[in-house]
Amino acid sequence: MVLRQINPVRDGEEKATHGGVVAAGGSSVLHRDLAHDFLPLKEGRGNHLVLDDGRKIFDASGGAAVGCLGWGNERVAQAVMKQMLAMPYCATIYYTTKVQEELCRFLVDSTNGKMSRAYIVNSGSEAMEAAVKLARQYFLELSPPQCQRTRFISRKQSYHGITLGALAVGGHQFRREKFKPLLMDNVTRISPCNRYRGKKPGETDEAYIVRLAEELDQAFQAVGPETVCAFVAEPIVGAALGCVPALPGYFKAMHAVCKKYGALLIFDEVMCGMGRSGTLHAWEQENVVPDIQTIGKCLGGGYQPVAGLLVNRRVVDVLMKGSSAFIHGHTYQGHPAGCAAALEVQRIIKEENLLRNVRAMGGLLSRRLKERLGQHPNVGDIRGRGLFWGIEFVADKATKEPFPVHEHVAMAIAERGLKPEYGIGVYPGGGSADDCIRGDHIIISPAFNVSADEIEWIVETVGRLIEDYFVDLLSR
């Protein structure tokens, strides 16, 4: 993501505000963009964000698809506070906590016995680091050990986290570029399953899936099947592609290739999981159970930093019969406050049957977005699942040609949406058209308790925002 410069302030100038915006040069924060002015956020109320100047913004993306309950949920806040007063920290080398045990039991039970252990960390990147190391250790723990398995296969235009190990496994070229010399080079990348841009003219879905499975098979053959630990993929690609779901049958075909060569299957559900796609786990809709699954954003709904792993029984059993220890750890793993937030969020989702609302409102959002924007000349594709929808923009609808990178179309649309005449927050992204950064999209991913009236408002506001933006852009 590239932020455009707005109202830059020279270093050393006094802190100033412009219309409720803290000028970049007046901040002591190492922000994502040092030349960008960030809006000062005061509080969250339901689906609205409230700025210091009282202005309200409807959070139609939950940040980065994080806010699954909206903001200001007192029940979650009270659960976190209660845990913090009881015990705010746990040194997991010695101790466990009731709240961690309850959360992990809840998560394991939610898989109907498919997964047998959960591992709680603080971010999706940490979860992916753990997944990569666990996959490697699994093969070392086998009898006899398969020490030659050191490689991974992932997909182009994927994003699996920002830390070095996670970044190495991912395929987000813009985020990787400056750090390539630091990244491990034992990763092979194949094509994503992208119906809009990947299918050949006249190719059926079935033929496309066969072609992608053959590409995976060839990737195994190219590096030596006996050297591969795992194939890593997002069931619905989030930030890198803009909510692109796999075609039905794709993951069954890919799983078959993994089984053929004895490699593990790792699903990254940090963004698309924990209910966002309409089922608690996105793999439930694929009829494929991964060996390792990462979870994150909607696990705790933004009320605490929390993420984790779910681990298949066959992986755990190998460790139990071997060293019985995962050679990995964080000071703040299993953090009690994070576990308390996640457990309460998940209990609310279950008790209020919010997954049913995700499916119902997701269906409405899908239909209305396509009705409102499907014929717009600069909307190339509208795709997603549940309450996780992406809109990809193109300069030419017929050829699917993306806009020039320097236009920063997605970011410009997202920034425009924050203006008072729209008052809506959407999540911008780039790189959906090729293997670098060309191609713009926005993500719409509201809270699980969103209403039908709110969906209608989101669609109408986003429609007006997109229309106004392109009228201005194309008239320049």
Side-chain angles (χ1 to χ4, degrees):
M1 183 187 305
V2 180
L3 290 170
R4 295 181 299 122
Q5 183 169 307
I6 299 178
N7 298 329
V9 178
R10 294 187 300 274
D11 289 344
E13 287 190 4
E14 293 297 318
K15 179 178 179 180
T17 60
H18 304 283
V21 178
V22 178
S27 177
S28 298
V29 177
L30 185 64
H31 281 295
R32 289 172 179 251
D33 187 331
L34 299 182
H36 184 81
D37 295 344
F38 290 86
L39 298 174
L41 188 59
K42 180 181 179 182
E43 61 182 338
R45 299 175 188 167
N47 287 323
H48 286 89
L49 305 173
V50 183
L51 304 182
D52 276 357
D53 61 4
R55 184 153 42 108
K56 289 184 179 180
I57 296 170
F58 190 97
D59 192 2
S61 69
V66 172
C68 56
L69 294 182
W71 310 115
N73 189 294
E74 292 188 7
R75 181 172 159 183
V76 181
Q78 289 295 330
V80 173
M81 182 60 69
K82 181 180 178 181
Q83 181 58 53
M84 290 178 70
L85 291 172
M87 189 65 225
Y89 167 71
C90 177
T92 53
I93 192 172
Y94 303 116
Y95 312 107
T96 187
T97 58
K98 180 181 178 183
V99 70
Q100 178 181 221
E101 297 292 336
E102 288 181 344
L103 173 61
C104 291
R105 174 49 56 194
F106 181 99
L107 292 171
V108 167
D109 288 349
S110 74
T111 69
N112 294 317
K114 301 298 192 302
M115 302 296 192
S116 67
R117 297 279 176 146
Y119 181 82
I120 305 301
V121 290
N122 303 295
S123 73
S125 296
E126 287 182 25
M128 184 51 66
E129 295 279 339
V132 167
K133 292 174 74 174
L134 181 59
R136 165 64 175 167
Q137 189 176 336
Y138 166 79
F139 288 104
L140 294 178
E141 299 270 349
L142 287 174
S143 182
Q146 297 185 24
C147 302
Q148 74 278 21
R149 289 195 184 256
T150 60
R151 300 191 61 87
F152 291 83
I153 300 175
S154 65
R155 301 189 297 182
K156 300 171 185 176
Q157 297 169 283
S158 61
Y159 179 63
H160 297 298
I162 205 68
T163 51
L164 290 178
L167 199 60
V169 172
H172 197 294
Q173 291 301 320
F174 178 73
R175 298 192 184 211
R176 288 168 45 85
E177 190 64 35
K178 289 181 171 60
F179 308 102
K180 274 186 178 180
L182 307 179
L183 304 179
M184 61 184 185
D185 60 1
N186 58 344
V187 181
T188 300
R189 290 170 195 84
I190 62 172
S191 303
C193 183
N194 185 345
R195 171 192 55 81
Y196 177 63
R197 290 197 174 271
K199 282 181 64 177
K200 296 178 180 178
E203 187 175 36
T204 65
D205 288 353
E206 292 75 16
Y208 181 40
I209 290 170
V210 168
R211 177 162 61 87
L212 292 174
E214 289 175 350
E215 185 181 353
L216 177 60
D217 196 293
Q218 291 166 7
F220 272 97
Q221 292 289 342
V223 299
E226 72 285 350
T227 69
V228 178
C229 289
F231 171 56
V232 184
E234 302 157 273
I236 305 171
V237 185
L241 278 182
C243 304
V244 173
L247 288 168
Y250 166 80
F251 277 112
K252 275 194 170 183
M254 305 306 266
H255 192 208
V257 177
C258 292
K259 290 176 69 175
K260 175 181 176 180
Y261 295 118
L264 299 180
L265 175 63
I266 298 175
F267 273 174
D268 178 350
E269 295 201 8
V270 169
M271 200 171 198
C272 67
M274 298 312 297
R276 176 58 67 188
S277 66
T279 52
L280 198 61
H281 307 292
W283 53 258
E284 295 177 75
Q285 299 173 58
E286 306 295 341
N287 293 315
V288 171
V289 181
D291 296 293
I292 301 171
Q293 170 192 358
T294 60
I295 54 178
K297 302 178 187 299
C298 289
L299 174 61
Y303 283 84
Q304 286 285 291
V306 63
L309 294 184
L310 284 167
V311 188
N312 196 299
R313 187 173 302 279
R314 80 180 182 106
V315 175
V316 173
D317 286 349
V318 167
L319 261 66
M320 289 292 291
K321 294 173 183 176
S323 67
S324 80
F326 179 28
I327 312 302
H328 182 72
H330 292 274
T331 299
Y332 294 113
Q333 73 181 63
H335 193 274
C339 290
L343 183 59
E344 202 64 24
V345 166
Q346 295 309 309
R347 283 173 171 167
I348 291 170
I349 291 171
K350 185 174 183 179
E351 291 169 13
E352 298 185 5
N353 203 7
L354 291 182
L355 295 185
R356 180 172 62 184
N357 196 61
V358 171
R359 293 188 290 271
M361 292 302 101
L364 177 61
L365 179 60
S366 167
R367 177 172 59 82
R368 292 291 293 116
L369 281 174
K370 291 172 182 177
E371 289 173 352
R372 183 68 174 79
L373 289 165
Q375 300 306 310
H376 191 283
N378 300 114
V379 171
D381 193 32
I382 300 170
R383 66 290 183 110
R385 193 181 294 165
L387 284 174
F388 195 44
W389 284 84
I391 303 173
E392 182 172 343
F393 304 108
V394 290
D396 188 299
K397 202 176 183 82
T399 65
K400 304 180 184 179
E401 178 67 20
F403 282 93
V405 173
H406 65 79
E407 292 288 355
H408 303 305
V409 167
M411 180 58 72
I413 289 173
E415 288 178 347
R416 186 177 185 133
L418 301 177
K419 292 183 177 181
E421 56 264 41
Y422 307 102
I424 192 168
V426 296
Y427 192 76
S432 47
D434 55 29
D435 200 26
C436 189
I437 59 173
R438 294 199 317 151
D440 293 274
H441 58 262
I442 59 170
I443 290 175
I444 300 170
S445 48
F448 294 1
N449 48 17
V450 69
S451 69
D453 286 345
E454 289 171 325
I455 291 291
E456 294 289 352
W457 184 88
I458 290 170
V459 171
E460 181 54 35
T461 305
V462 168
R464 183 164 53 89
L465 167 63
I466 289 171
E467 288 170 347
D468 292 351
Y469 171 78
F470 283 113
V471 166
D472 289 350
L473 176 67
L474 300 177
S475 66
R476 291 209 302 254

